């Protein structure tokens, strides 16, 4: 009998964690509600030194305004670095609430101001709705830096899972449109390649838990509006498809060794480095997708958090 590849500290949680494996058009609404409910059941720290407000910024041309949740230190931090954050959920579910604990901790410990994007979801709003919403918020943050009391030269973008994939696409879009300088990209187990689980099959041990091949296929099909894995998918939709990665901001990529996205994330990291982009990589042994969200106090989760916090701190620290 093969040994259990899941790290001991993550095993018990699998009995109660939600799975996206049966997601479909018929079950999408229930899946969205179950995801939020599971997040609300996680015990997290409170951060009284962080203030949270909600608002809207102008959306892409012809599109609705984009809801944004803003996190700030209670204490004044004039000219603070900013982070445009993009939440998880496969681009078909989730809201900024799913990453509320992460955002509060970043603000509390690093003194950043975070703008968490409540982008439009697929299949109701397929590509390019989500990425254009994210770009609209990034451009607004940069354009209103003075009144937001942030440093427009220290704007970071980041996200996890689908949000990590959108972050990578946003880095490409920002480079090409050349309107907003991005200091750093934080890619937490990012969803980068529509071919994973369709035309490219990772080893069976990857993607067995939480986010599976079936879930990945459904999500990409919903977002792209076509069967994933085919020809003609642009890099602004799936960052791994981009042919040219030169000139992108430095990156951090973190992922679990049992995550469906492990291979695509490591391959993307290699491509970034080959293109001359400074890239840090962290792989957590025995960890499945979004492990740190649901078991934040496990030693491996804390080590993972410390890893990308350190990368963020290096990126925003002035010389």
């Amino acid at each position: 009998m093969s040994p259990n590849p899941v790290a001991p500290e993550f095993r018990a949680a699998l009995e109660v964690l939600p799975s996206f494996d049966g997601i479909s058009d018929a079950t999408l609404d229930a899946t969205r509600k179950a995801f939020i409910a599971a997040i609300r059941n996680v015990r997290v720290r409170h951060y009284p030194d962080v203030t949270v407000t909600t608002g809207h910024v102008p959306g892409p041309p012809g599109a609705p305004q984009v809801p944004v949740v803003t996190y700030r230190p209670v204490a004044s931090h004039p000219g603070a670095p900013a982070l445009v954050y993009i939440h998880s959920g496969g681009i078909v579910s989730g809201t900024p609430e799913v990453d509320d604990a992460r955002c509060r901790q970043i603000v509390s410990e690093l003194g950043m101001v975070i703008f968490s994007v409540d982008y439009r979801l697929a299949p109701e709003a397929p590509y390019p709705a989500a990425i254009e919403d994210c770009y609209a918020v990034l451009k607004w943050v940069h354009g209103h830096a003075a009144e937001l009391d942030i440093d427009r030269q220290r704007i970071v973008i980041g996200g996890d899972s689908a949000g990590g994939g959108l972050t990578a696409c946003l880095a490409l879009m920002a480079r090409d449109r050349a309107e907003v300088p991005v200091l750093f990209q934080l890619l937490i187990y990012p969803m980068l390649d529509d071919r994973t689980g369709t035309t490219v099959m990772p080893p069976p041990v990857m993607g067995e838990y939480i986010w599976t091949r079936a879930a990945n296929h459904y999500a990409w099909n919903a977002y792209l509006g076509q069967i994933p894995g085919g020809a003609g998918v642009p890099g602004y939709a799936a960052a791994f498809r981009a042919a040219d990665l030169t000139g992108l901001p430095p990156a951090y990529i973190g992922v679990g060794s049992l995550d469906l996205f492990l291979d695509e994330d490591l391959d993307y990291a290699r491509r970034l480095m080959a293109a001359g982009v400074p890239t840090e990589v962290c792989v957590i042994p025995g960890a499945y997708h979004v492990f740190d969200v649901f078991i934040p106090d496990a030693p491996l989760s804390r080590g993972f958090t410390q890893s990308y916090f350190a990368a963020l701190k290096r990126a925003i620290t002035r010389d």
Side-chain angles (χ1 to χ4, degrees):
M1 184 175 181
S2 300
N4 189 338
V6 178
E9 60 204 80
F10 298 140
R11 292 174 189 171
L14 286 172
E15 298 178 9
V16 296
L17 291 184
S19 173
F20 288 82
D21 195 46
I23 191 171
S24 66
D25 287 343
T27 65
L28 180 57
D29 186 60
T31 301
R32 287 171 172 171
K33 291 176 181 176
F35 185 32
I36 295 294
I39 291 290
R40 290 174 178 170
N41 284 332
V42 178
R43 290 186 178 182
V44 296
R45 288 178 53 192
H46 294 287
Y47 294 93
D49 58 340
V50 176
T51 182
V52 182
T53 58
T54 59
H56 294 76
V57 307
Q65 290 187 315
V66 184
V68 174
V69 180
T70 302
Y71 299 81
R72 284 185 177 274
V74 170
S76 177
H77 286 251
L83 167 59
V84 174
Y85 197 84
I86 309 174
H87 70 76
S88 61
I91 325 184
V92 296
S93 67
T95 70
E97 183 180 357
V98 303
D99 287 297
D100 181 75
R102 191 194 310 274
C103 290
R104 288 175 186 266
Q105 186 178 1
I106 291 172
V107 172
S108 178
E109 296 190 17
L110 299 181
M112 305 184 77
V113 177
I114 295 181
F115 303 89
S116 187
V117 186
D118 194 359
Y119 54 87
R120 286 171 289 169
L121 300 176
E124 296 91 339
Y127 173 79
I131 185 61
E132 290 291 356
D133 283 355
C134 294
Y135 186 81
V137 174
L138 174 65
K139 186 175 178 181
W140 180 85
V141 167
H142 179 260
H144 293 78
E147 63 194 77
L148 294 169
D149 204 7
I150 60 169
D151 184 351
R152 63 164 21 104
Q153 300 304 318
R154 290 190 295 162
I155 297 177
V156 172
I157 58 176
D160 60 304
S161 191
L166 286 167
T167 298
C169 294
L170 186 58
L172 290 161
M173 186 173 282
R175 177 199 64 184
D176 295 345
R177 294 184 178 178
E179 295 176 310
V180 181
V182 172
L183 181 67
F184 185 77
Q185 53 178 323
L186 176 67
L187 311 179
I188 302 174
Y189 31 78
M191 178 181 175
L192 299 168
D193 192 351
D194 63 293
R195 294 168 292 191
T196 297
T198 53
T199 58
V200 177
M201 289 296 175
V205 71
M206 297 174 195
E208 183 177 348
Y209 309 106
I210 314 298
W211 192 257
T212 63
R213 291 160 184 76
N216 208 45
H217 187 280
Y218 172 80
W220 277 115
N221 186 76
Y223 184 50
L224 298 175
Q226 66 183 62
I227 296 174
V233 175
Y236 294 162
F240 200 95
R241 297 292 201 121
D244 180 12
L245 302 185
T246 59
L248 292 174
Y252 173 99
I253 297 179
V255 65
S257 68
L258 302 180
D259 198 310
L260 179 67
F261 301 147
L262 176 67
D263 283 350
E264 65 184 68
D265 289 357
L266 294 181
D267 287 347
Y268 194 71
R270 294 186 190 98
R271 291 182 57 206
L272 285 171
M273 288 183 269
V277 178
T279 304
E280 179 178 352
V281 179
C282 176
V283 178
I284 301 300
Y288 42 77
H289 196 58
V290 297
F291 64 96
D292 60 320
V293 172
F294 291 109
I295 316 100
D297 291 327
L300 285 172
S301 295
R302 290 199 301 267
F304 182 57
T305 300
Q306 291 168 3
S307 172
Y308 69 78
F309 271 47
L312 272 175
K313 187 174 182 178
R314 287 192 299 272
I316 62 176
T317 299
R318 292 190 179 97
D319 294 335

